[in-house]
Amino acid sequence: MDQRRADPRGELVRPYAVTRGRTEPRQDIALEAVLSASATAVAESRFAGHDKHRIATVCEGRAQSLAEIAAYTRMPLGVTRVLVADMVAEGLLTLHTAAPAVGYEERMNLLGRVLSGLREL
């Protein structure tokens, strides 16, 4: 039996090590936020570490949401969120926002309309 498979702590330590112990991202990025990477950014990400290079490669040529990036790279969402926020700050990823910034009340109204629409289906 593989020693790494026998010890569940190995899977818990790695995400903590990847983010250098950080659990909160530099900036708040929504799950549905769309991100992309240019070919230049992908080339530069090779020097930023394996995980960041994987994220940049996933976003090259096709914009991806934060949730999709986590799924494609098979990294925990919390780890992906921290790394993606770092990459946006470093200029390795471009964060695209389609909607203007809205307050809490507007977001709650939008969510209510979405839920109503789903219930009608």
Side-chain angles (χ1 to χ4, degrees), residues 32-79:
E32 68 278 4
V34 178
L35 301 123
S36 65
S38 67
T40 304
V42 172
E44 289 177 12
S45 71
R46 288 185 8 217
F47 305 106
H50 175 72
D51 293 313
K52 288 184 178 181
H53 182 65
R54 281 179 38 209
I55 291 171
T57 302
V58 165
C59 295
E60 182 183 21
R62 181 170 178 230
Q64 304 285 347
S65 72
L66 178 61
E68 289 173 316
I69 294 168
Y72 287 137
T73 58
R74 295 181 178 231
M75 284 193 276
L77 185 57
V79 172

Tab-separated table of all heavy atoms in Angstrom, residues 32-79:
chain	number	residue	atom	x	y	z
A	32	GLU	N	-18.404	32.870	-9.541
A	32	GLU	CA	-18.755	32.975	-10.949
A	32	GLU	C	-17.911	33.999	-11.705
A	32	GLU	O	-18.099	34.204	-12.902
A	32	GLU	CB	-20.247	33.309	-11.110
A	32	GLU	CG	-20.630	34.696	-10.649
A	32	GLU	CD	-20.864	34.836	-9.151
A	32	GLU	OE1	-20.668	33.865	-8.390
A	32	GLU	OE2	-21.239	35.939	-8.736
A	33	ALA	N	-16.963	34.628	-11.016
A	33	ALA	CA	-16.088	35.611	-11.660
A	33	ALA	C	-15.326	34.956	-12.809
A	33	ALA	O	-14.873	33.821	-12.700
A	33	ALA	CB	-15.109	36.186	-10.651
A	34	VAL	N	-15.210	35.671	-13.909
A	34	VAL	CA	-14.573	35.133	-15.104
A	34	VAL	C	-13.150	35.656	-15.193
A	34	VAL	O	-12.903	36.852	-15.052
A	34	VAL	CB	-15.384	35.515	-16.363
A	34	VAL	CG1	-14.701	35.011	-17.615
A	34	VAL	CG2	-16.793	34.958	-16.261
A	35	LEU	N	-12.213	34.725	-15.430
A	35	LEU	CA	-10.793	35.061	-15.489
A	35	LEU	C	-10.177	34.525	-16.768
A	35	LEU	O	-10.619	33.504	-17.291
A	35	LEU	CB	-10.067	34.461	-14.280
A	35	LEU	CG	-10.610	34.955	-12.942
A	35	LEU	CD1	-11.046	33.809	-12.096
A	35	LEU	CD2	-9.598	35.813	-12.254
A	36	SER	N	-9.152	35.210	-17.249
A	36	SER	CA	-8.444	34.744	-18.436
A	36	SER	C	-6.960	35.044	-18.284
A	36	SER	O	-6.560	35.859	-17.447
A	36	SER	CB	-8.997	35.403	-19.697
A	36	SER	OG	-8.753	36.794	-19.658
A	37	ALA	N	-6.173	34.375	-19.114
A	37	ALA	CA	-4.721	34.577	-19.110
A	37	ALA	C	-4.235	34.718	-20.547
A	37	ALA	O	-4.663	33.965	-21.423
A	37	ALA	CB	-4.015	33.406	-18.430
A	38	SER	N	-3.347	35.664	-20.764
A	38	SER	CA	-2.753	35.824	-22.095
A	38	SER	C	-1.617	34.819	-22.248
A	38	SER	O	-1.147	34.228	-21.271
A	38	SER	CB	-2.218	37.243	-22.261
A	38	SER	OG	-1.126	37.453	-21.381
A	39	ALA	N	-1.151	34.639	-23.476
A	39	ALA	CA	-0.031	33.725	-23.726
A	39	ALA	C	1.212	34.187	-22.972
A	39	ALA	O	1.975	33.373	-22.446
A	39	ALA	CB	0.245	33.633	-25.218
A	40	THR	N	1.410	35.500	-22.904
A	40	THR	CA	2.552	36.053	-22.166
A	40	THR	C	2.443	35.721	-20.684
A	40	THR	O	3.428	35.345	-20.049
A	40	THR	CB	2.626	37.580	-22.363
A	40	THR	OG1	2.678	37.866	-23.755
A	40	THR	CG2	3.822	38.176	-21.660
A	41	ALA	N	1.225	35.867	-20.141
A	41	ALA	CA	1.018	35.559	-18.724
A	41	ALA	C	1.273	34.091	-18.437
A	41	ALA	O	1.835	33.736	-17.395
A	41	ALA	CB	-0.393	35.954	-18.306
A	42	VAL	N	0.862	33.220	-19.359
A	42	VAL	CA	1.101	31.782	-19.176
A	42	VAL	C	2.603	31.514	-19.150
A	42	VAL	O	3.093	30.749	-18.314
A	42	VAL	CB	0.407	30.956	-20.276
A	42	VAL	CG1	0.806	29.496	-20.199
A	42	VAL	CG2	-1.107	31.097	-20.167
A	43	ALA	N	3.345	32.145	-20.052
A	43	ALA	CA	4.804	31.964	-20.083
A	43	ALA	C	5.445	32.468	-18.785
A	43	ALA	O	6.326	31.809	-18.220
A	43	ALA	CB	5.396	32.681	-21.287
A	44	GLU	N	4.984	33.621	-18.290
A	44	GLU	CA	5.535	34.171	-17.041
A	44	GLU	C	5.157	33.324	-15.834
A	44	GLU	O	5.911	33.246	-14.863
A	44	GLU	CB	5.041	35.599	-16.852
A	44	GLU	CG	5.652	36.591	-17.817
A	44	GLU	CD	5.074	37.993	-17.652
A	44	GLU	OE1	4.375	38.249	-16.650
A	44	GLU	OE2	5.326	38.824	-18.538
A	45	SER	N	3.994	32.685	-15.885
A	45	SER	CA	3.530	31.896	-14.739
A	45	SER	C	4.400	30.669	-14.486
A	45	SER	O	4.366	30.106	-13.402
A	45	SER	CB	2.072	31.479	-14.938
A	45	SER	OG	1.968	30.494	-15.958
A	46	ARG	N	5.184	30.267	-15.479
A	46	ARG	CA	6.086	29.119	-15.281
A	46	ARG	C	7.043	29.376	-14.128
A	46	ARG	O	7.486	28.448	-13.454
A	46	ARG	CB	6.890	28.852	-16.549
A	46	ARG	CG	6.074	28.269	-17.662
A	46	ARG	CD	6.896	27.891	-18.873
A	46	ARG	NE	8.326	27.981	-18.679
A	46	ARG	CZ	9.180	28.391	-19.611
A	46	ARG	NH1	8.747	28.732	-20.801
A	46	ARG	NH2	10.475	28.428	-19.366
A	47	PHE	N	7.362	30.643	-13.903
A	47	PHE	CA	8.300	31.011	-12.841
A	47	PHE	C	7.601	31.287	-11.510
A	47	PHE	O	8.264	31.570	-10.524
A	47	PHE	CB	9.119	32.230	-13.274
A	47	PHE	CG	9.820	32.016	-14.582
A	47	PHE	CD1	9.368	32.631	-15.738
A	47	PHE	CD2	10.913	31.164	-14.672
A	47	PHE	CE1	9.995	32.416	-16.957
A	47	PHE	CE2	11.541	30.940	-15.878
A	47	PHE	CZ	11.080	31.572	-17.033
A	48	ALA	N	6.274	31.200	-11.501
A	48	ALA	CA	5.505	31.486	-10.289
A	48	ALA	C	5.136	30.223	-9.515
A	48	ALA	O	4.516	30.310	-8.472
A	48	ALA	CB	4.243	32.261	-10.657
A	49	GLY	N	5.497	29.074	-10.057
A	49	GLY	CA	5.187	27.821	-9.373
A	49	GLY	C	4.267	26.943	-10.202
A	49	GLY	O	3.530	27.426	-11.073
A	50	HIS	N	4.314	25.670	-9.913
A	50	HIS	CA	3.561	24.669	-10.676
A	50	HIS	C	2.054	24.930	-10.646
A	50	HIS	O	1.385	24.879	-11.676
A	50	HIS	CB	3.875	23.275	-10.139
A	50	HIS	CG	3.072	22.195	-10.781
A	50	HIS	ND1	3.298	21.779	-12.077
A	50	HIS	CD2	2.027	21.456	-10.312
A	50	HIS	CE1	2.428	20.830	-12.380
A	50	HIS	NE2	1.649	20.613	-11.328
A	51	ASP	N	1.494	25.188	-9.464
A	51	ASP	CA	0.050	25.357	-9.345
A	51	ASP	C	-0.439	26.605	-10.074
A	51	ASP	O	-1.464	26.578	-10.746
A	51	ASP	CB	-0.370	25.392	-7.873
A	51	ASP	CG	-0.153	24.051	-7.200
A	51	ASP	OD1	-0.560	23.032	-7.791
A	51	ASP	OD2	0.412	24.016	-6.103
A	52	LYS	N	0.302	27.683	-9.967
A	52	LYS	CA	-0.080	28.908	-10.670
A	52	LYS	C	0.042	28.719	-12.185
A	52	LYS	O	-0.785	29.230	-12.943
A	52	LYS	CB	0.754	30.093	-10.204
A	52	LYS	CG	0.383	30.562	-8.812
A	52	LYS	CD	1.166	31.791	-8.414
A	52	LYS	CE	0.759	32.274	-7.040
A	52	LYS	NZ	1.497	33.479	-6.638
A	53	HIS	N	1.023	27.969	-12.617
A	53	HIS	CA	1.166	27.704	-14.048
A	53	HIS	C	-0.010	26.862	-14.556
A	53	HIS	O	-0.539	27.107	-15.642
A	53	HIS	CB	2.502	27.020	-14.341
A	53	HIS	CG	2.736	26.767	-15.795
A	53	HIS	ND1	2.870	27.792	-16.707
A	53	HIS	CD2	2.833	25.626	-16.505
A	53	HIS	CE1	3.048	27.283	-17.915
A	53	HIS	NE2	3.026	25.957	-17.817
A	54	ARG	N	-0.446	25.887	-13.765
A	54	ARG	CA	-1.612	25.081	-14.140
A	54	ARG	C	-2.856	25.946	-14.282
A	54	ARG	O	-3.637	25.801	-15.226
A	54	ARG	CB	-1.874	23.990	-13.092
A	54	ARG	CG	-0.967	22.799	-13.241
A	54	ARG	CD	-1.187	21.718	-12.198
A	54	ARG	NE	-2.574	21.496	-11.821
A	54	ARG	CZ	-2.944	21.067	-10.621
A	54	ARG	NH1	-2.050	20.817	-9.698
A	54	ARG	NH2	-4.211	20.868	-10.338
A	55	ILE	N	-3.048	26.863	-13.348
A	55	ILE	CA	-4.205	27.758	-13.400
A	55	ILE	C	-4.144	28.636	-14.644
A	55	ILE	O	-5.135	28.785	-15.366
A	55	ILE	CB	-4.286	28.617	-12.121
A	55	ILE	CG1	-4.644	27.733	-10.914
A	55	ILE	CG2	-5.281	29.756	-12.288
A	55	ILE	CD1	-4.530	28.430	-9.580
A	56	ALA	N	-2.984	29.210	-14.919
A	56	ALA	CA	-2.831	30.076	-16.094
A	56	ALA	C	-3.087	29.294	-17.382
A	56	ALA	O	-3.723	29.798	-18.308
A	56	ALA	CB	-1.443	30.701	-16.112
A	57	THR	N	-2.616	28.073	-17.431
A	57	THR	CA	-2.811	27.240	-18.624
A	57	THR	C	-4.292	26.954	-18.849
A	57	THR	O	-4.775	26.980	-19.983
A	57	THR	CB	-2.021	25.924	-18.480
A	57	THR	OG1	-0.644	26.235	-18.292
A	57	THR	CG2	-2.166	25.054	-19.705
A	58	VAL	N	-5.027	26.710	-17.780
A	58	VAL	CA	-6.469	26.458	-17.890
A	58	VAL	C	-7.192	27.697	-18.434
A	58	VAL	O	-8.160	27.575	-19.183
A	58	VAL	CB	-7.050	26.047	-16.508
A	58	VAL	CG1	-8.558	26.127	-16.485
A	58	VAL	CG2	-6.591	24.655	-16.135
A	59	CYS	N	-6.701	28.884	-18.084
A	59	CYS	CA	-7.360	30.133	-18.478
A	59	CYS	C	-6.848	30.701	-19.808
A	59	CYS	O	-7.342	31.732	-20.251
A	59	CYS	CB	-7.174	31.183	-17.394
A	59	CYS	SG	-7.974	30.752	-15.849
A	60	GLU	N	-5.879	30.052	-20.415
A	60	GLU	CA	-5.330	30.561	-21.673
A	60	GLU	C	-6.286	30.273	-22.824
A	60	GLU	O	-6.702	29.135	-23.032
A	60	GLU	CB	-3.979	29.924	-21.979
A	60	GLU	CG	-3.345	30.442	-23.251
A	60	GLU	CD	-2.032	29.752	-23.584
A	60	GLU	OE1	-1.806	28.634	-23.084
A	60	GLU	OE2	-1.264	30.338	-24.340
A	61	GLY	N	-6.634	31.315	-23.559
A	61	GLY	CA	-7.469	31.142	-24.741
A	61	GLY	C	-8.947	30.939	-24.472
A	61	GLY	O	-9.751	30.947	-25.385
A	62	ARG	N	-9.312	30.738	-23.219
A	62	ARG	CA	-10.719	30.537	-22.874
A	62	ARG	C	-10.953	31.016	-21.446
A	62	ARG	O	-10.334	30.523	-20.508
A	62	ARG	CB	-11.083	29.064	-22.976
A	62	ARG	CG	-12.527	28.808	-22.652
A	62	ARG	CD	-12.934	27.387	-23.003
A	62	ARG	NE	-14.328	27.226	-22.614
A	62	ARG	CZ	-14.759	26.225	-21.880
A	62	ARG	NH1	-13.934	25.288	-21.485
A	62	ARG	NH2	-16.025	26.137	-21.571
A	63	ALA	N	-11.829	31.973	-21.308
A	63	ALA	CA	-12.125	32.501	-19.976
A	63	ALA	C	-12.822	31.426	-19.139
A	63	ALA	O	-13.640	30.665	-19.651
A	63	ALA	CB	-13.014	33.731	-20.099
A	64	GLN	N	-12.460	31.375	-17.876
A	64	GLN	CA	-13.004	30.369	-16.956
A	64	GLN	C	-13.478	31.064	-15.685
A	64	GLN	O	-12.902	32.061	-15.255
A	64	GLN	CB	-11.929	29.355	-16.563
A	64	GLN	CG	-11.256	28.649	-17.699
A	64	GLN	CD	-12.140	27.583	-18.334
A	64	GLN	OE1	-13.157	27.211	-17.791
A	64	GLN	NE2	-11.736	27.113	-19.489
A	65	SER	N	-14.499	30.501	-15.063
A	65	SER	CA	-14.932	31.004	-13.760
A	65	SER	C	-14.013	30.438	-12.683
A	65	SER	O	-13.320	29.439	-12.903
A	65	SER	CB	-16.381	30.615	-13.473
A	65	SER	OG	-16.465	29.229	-13.204
A	66	LEU	N	-14.045	31.052	-11.528
A	66	LEU	CA	-13.235	30.572	-10.410
A	66	LEU	C	-13.610	29.127	-10.075
A	66	LEU	O	-12.731	28.290	-9.844
A	66	LEU	CB	-13.438	31.473	-9.192
A	66	LEU	CG	-12.706	31.096	-7.924
A	66	LEU	CD1	-11.195	31.112	-8.133
A	66	LEU	CD2	-13.080	32.022	-6.793
A	67	ALA	N	-14.888	28.814	-10.092
A	67	ALA	CA	-15.340	27.447	-9.798
A	67	ALA	C	-14.825	26.456	-10.834
A	67	ALA	O	-14.414	25.344	-10.495
A	67	ALA	CB	-16.866	27.408	-9.738
A	68	GLU	N	-14.834	26.854	-12.117
A	68	GLU	CA	-14.331	25.967	-13.168
A	68	GLU	C	-12.832	25.726	-13.015
A	68	GLU	O	-12.353	24.605	-13.214
A	68	GLU	CB	-14.606	26.570	-14.545
A	68	GLU	CG	-16.057	26.551	-14.946
A	68	GLU	CD	-16.315	27.309	-16.226
A	68	GLU	OE1	-15.772	28.421	-16.393
A	68	GLU	OE2	-17.056	26.774	-17.072
A	69	ILE	N	-12.099	26.764	-12.654
A	69	ILE	CA	-10.647	26.620	-12.464
A	69	ILE	C	-10.374	25.590	-11.373
A	69	ILE	O	-9.531	24.706	-11.534
A	69	ILE	CB	-9.997	27.977	-12.123
A	69	ILE	CG1	-10.116	28.935	-13.311
A	69	ILE	CG2	-8.537	27.792	-11.723
A	69	ILE	CD1	-9.765	30.376	-12.974
A	70	ALA	N	-11.097	25.689	-10.264
A	70	ALA	CA	-10.919	24.730	-9.163
A	70	ALA	C	-11.224	23.311	-9.636
A	70	ALA	O	-10.496	22.369	-9.314
A	70	ALA	CB	-11.805	25.110	-7.986
A	71	ALA	N	-12.278	23.167	-10.422
A	71	ALA	CA	-12.661	21.834	-10.901
A	71	ALA	C	-11.631	21.266	-11.880
A	71	ALA	O	-11.230	20.109	-11.759
A	71	ALA	CB	-14.031	21.891	-11.567
A	72	TYR	N	-11.203	22.077	-12.837
A	72	TYR	CA	-10.251	21.592	-13.844
A	72	TYR	C	-8.877	21.265	-13.252
A	72	TYR	O	-8.219	20.334	-13.694
A	72	TYR	CB	-10.071	22.613	-14.964
A	72	TYR	CG	-11.262	22.718	-15.894
A	72	TYR	CD1	-11.720	23.955	-16.309
A	72	TYR	CD2	-11.926	21.584	-16.358
A	72	TYR	CE1	-12.806	24.065	-17.164
A	72	TYR	CE2	-13.012	21.685	-17.199
A	72	TYR	CZ	-13.448	22.929	-17.605
A	72	TYR	OH	-14.524	23.033	-18.447
A	73	THR	N	-8.459	22.041	-12.260
A	73	THR	CA	-7.143	21.792	-11.660
A	73	THR	C	-7.210	20.782	-10.520
A	73	THR	O	-6.167	20.367	-10.007
A	73	THR	CB	-6.525	23.098	-11.130
A	73	THR	OG1	-7.409	23.677	-10.163
A	73	THR	CG2	-6.240	24.072	-12.257
A	74	ARG	N	-8.432	20.441	-10.105
A	74	ARG	CA	-8.645	19.498	-8.994
A	74	ARG	C	-7.996	19.977	-7.699
A	74	ARG	O	-7.461	19.188	-6.919
A	74	ARG	CB	-8.168	18.101	-9.354
A	74	ARG	CG	-8.967	17.506	-10.474
A	74	ARG	CD	-8.501	16.115	-10.801
A	74	ARG	NE	-9.340	15.580	-11.862
A	74	ARG	CZ	-9.927	14.402	-11.796
A	74	ARG	NH1	-9.749	13.634	-10.766
A	74	ARG	NH2	-10.687	13.993	-12.788
A	75	MET	N	-8.049	21.286	-7.503
A	75	MET	CA	-7.561	21.882	-6.263
A	75	MET	C	-8.764	22.287	-5.424
A	75	MET	O	-9.815	22.619	-5.982
A	75	MET	CB	-6.716	23.130	-6.550
A	75	MET	CG	-5.333	22.824	-7.060
A	75	MET	SD	-4.264	24.269	-7.013
A	75	MET	CE	-4.689	25.052	-8.533
A	76	PRO	N	-8.629	22.270	-4.104
A	76	PRO	CA	-9.725	22.740	-3.257
A	76	PRO	C	-10.085	24.190	-3.609
A	76	PRO	O	-9.218	24.991	-3.958
A	76	PRO	CB	-9.160	22.639	-1.839
A	76	PRO	CG	-8.062	21.635	-1.941
A	76	PRO	CD	-7.494	21.789	-3.318
A	77	LEU	N	-11.357	24.519	-3.503
A	77	LEU	CA	-11.823	25.848	-3.881
A	77	LEU	C	-11.139	26.949	-3.071
A	77	LEU	O	-10.774	27.989	-3.618
A	77	LEU	CB	-13.341	25.931	-3.719
A	77	LEU	CG	-13.991	27.222	-4.176
A	77	LEU	CD1	-13.678	27.508	-5.641
A	77	LEU	CD2	-15.482	27.158	-3.950
A	78	GLY	N	-10.944	26.727	-1.795
A	78	GLY	CA	-10.284	27.735	-0.959
A	78	GLY	C	-8.863	28.019	-1.416
A	78	GLY	O	-8.421	29.171	-1.446
A	79	VAL	N	-8.140	26.978	-1.768
A	79	VAL	CA	-6.765	27.126	-2.263
A	79	VAL	C	-6.783	27.857	-3.602
A	79	VAL	O	-5.999	28.793	-3.823
A	79	VAL	CB	-6.076	25.752	-2.415
A	79	VAL	CG1	-4.737	25.878	-3.111
A	79	VAL	CG2	-5.927	25.084	-1.057
